[in-house]
Amino acid sequence: MKTAVISLLSAVLAGKAAAHSTFQQFWVNGVDQGTSCARLPLNNNPISGVTGSSIRCNAGTRPVPGKCTVNAGGTVIVEMHAQFNDRNCANEAIGGQHYGPVMVYITKVGDSSTDAGDGDWYKLYENGWSAVAGTTRSDDDNWGVKDLNRCCGKVGVKIPSNIPSGDYLVRAEVIALHSAPSEPQPYVTCYQITVTGGSGSLPSSGGVKFPGAYSMSDPGIGVNIHGHLTQYIIPGPPVMPGGTSDKAGSMQCPATGGGGNPTTMRTSTTAAATTARTTAATTAATTARTTTTTTGGGSGAVCGQWAQCGGNGWTGCTSCGSFRCVVLNPYYSQCQ
């Protein structure tokens, strides 16, 4: 019996890890750098809270020898996946309806292979939320995480041309809000880069410290996404001059696999294309919550593992089959 319990617990823990994620690979102007300049987290678990020292570059991470060289004005891609070394686009970059914003920051350092990054950080990129007509629950709306999943975990970010040459840390972040406001889940990785061909200076204002940039009471963190939102304020400061803001549901996937600049992919889209992406995202979310599976006790329509199974106002599936429906907060319960 003890062996069976241990085996069951191991399976549950493995499943919970599978629902989490990590920013891993890095691209420069469409060329894959792998993880050569990434301070990879020790595991794919979220950071606990938004105010501790781990919020800077994740828990237990250390500098690495490698640096990725980027020309000022060039474009990098940060790439997220649920499991280490799994770049299969058939798997969501971050699953379990972990919806929330995607953000990228940068800080100037003396040596990116040794510096802790305790100076000022500037926001390079953000992609938050936009409404979908007819929805009553905002996790059915457009989110930066949904764009990230649609683009195989990749987000293209332009390095401003008017920043000085030298070493920097790039900080990629998702804040999953499915269990907020009580337990927001940040996922963070820092990358070590050297910028060449730069000029000018960093902004005189708009920099933030990590920790210090966020609090649990921030409107973009202490938020219930399972109700109906009329606006969403992305955490942190505004995007710095030369940075990029994407509207959730309209982000263009960056080009990879060659020497081309992925910035050229971020162009205006037609209303029809935007509608098609929105419809696909909404359909996928609905399908995930009403997955039909077969369990040991027979077959039937039940919530899939990591799907929502309850919460205030929830009208979807409530049976988890062989899993348990675990209450994460009054608005969200999940099959685990």
Side-chain angles (χ1 to χ4, degrees):
M1 177 63 73
K2 182 181 293 186
T3 302
V5 170
I6 293 174
S7 299
L8 176 59
L9 178 60
S10 299
V12 169
L13 292 175
K16 289 179 73 67
H20 296 159
S21 200
T22 311
F23 280 103
Q24 301 176 42
Q25 293 80 15
F26 195 77
W27 302 66
V28 177
N29 293 330
V31 179
D32 188 3
Q33 309 297 312
T35 59
S36 61
C37 58
R39 298 183 181 181
L40 290 176
L42 303 181
N43 53 52
N44 64 354
N45 295 334
I47 295 167
S48 177
V50 297
T51 59
S53 60
S54 297
I55 196 65
R56 182 184 299 156
C57 286
N58 216 314
T61 55
R62 299 283 189 274
V64 296
K67 302 178 184 180
C68 292
T69 301
V70 185
N71 57 300
T75 298
V76 301
I77 298 171
V78 293
E79 182 177 342
M80 172 179 256
H81 294 286
Q83 300 296 329
F84 286 107
N85 300 316
D86 177 13
R87 304 175 83 173
N88 185 350
C89 295
N91 301 324
E92 287 188 320
I94 177 168
Q97 302 172 44
H98 284 31
Y99 303 142
V102 179
M103 297 169 285
V104 179
Y105 291 80
I106 193 169
T107 185
K108 185 78 169 65
V109 296
D111 184 344
S112 60
S113 67
T114 61
D115 202 290
D118 54 3
D120 288 337
W121 291 82
Y122 300 90
K123 187 184 284 183
L124 271 182
Y125 174 87
E126 65 181 15
N127 184 345
W129 165 90
S130 70
V132 172
T135 62
T136 58
R137 293 163 40 83
S138 291
D139 49 358
D140 290 334
D141 290 335
N142 298 312
W143 286 96
V145 161
K146 292 186 180 183
D147 286 340
L148 184 72
N149 283 335
R150 176 172 53 81
C151 293
C152 193
K154 300 179 181 69
V155 176
V157 181
K158 183 177 180 181
I159 302 297
S161 57
N162 59 339
I163 64 172
S165 298
D167 279 14
Y168 292 80
L169 294 178
V170 171
R171 176 181 177 277
E173 176 179 38
V174 158
I175 301 181
L177 300 172
H178 60 292
S179 57
S182 61
E183 191 183 352
Q185 295 186 356
Y187 296 83
V188 175
T189 294
C190 287
Y191 300 91
Q192 303 172 175
I193 71 168
T194 299
V195 172
T196 61
S199 63
S201 60
L202 291 168
S204 58
S205 61
V208 295
K209 303 287 188 182
F210 285 106
Y214 303 149
S215 74
M216 290 290 288
S217 61
D218 288 349
I221 294 174
V223 61
N224 167 29
I225 69 168
H226 311 300
H228 179 65
L229 294 180
T230 57
Q231 67 170 346
Y232 176 75
I233 301 173
I234 300 174
V239 170
M240 67 180 290
T244 304
S245 295
D246 267 327
K247 181 180 179 181
S250 300
M251 185 189 86
Q252 288 290 295
C253 298
T256 57
N261 193 331
T263 302
T264 60
M265 295 297 292
R266 195 187 306 281
T267 56
S268 298
T269 59
T270 64
T274 301
T275 300
R277 283 194 299 274
T278 299
T279 300
T282 303
T283 301
T286 302
T287 301
R289 285 192 299 274
T290 58
T291 302
T292 299
T293 60
T294 301
T295 66
S299 61
V302 300
C303 311
Q305 188 181 17
W306 313 119
Q308 185 171 358
C309 55
N312 290 351
W314 174 244
T315 59
C317 62
T318 57
S319 172
C320 292
S322 59
F323 300 105
R324 295 182 305 133
C325 187
V326 177
V327 176
L328 299 182
N329 60 46
Y331 308 97
Y332 191 88
S333 299
Q334 187 180 60
C335 290
Q336 298 182 5

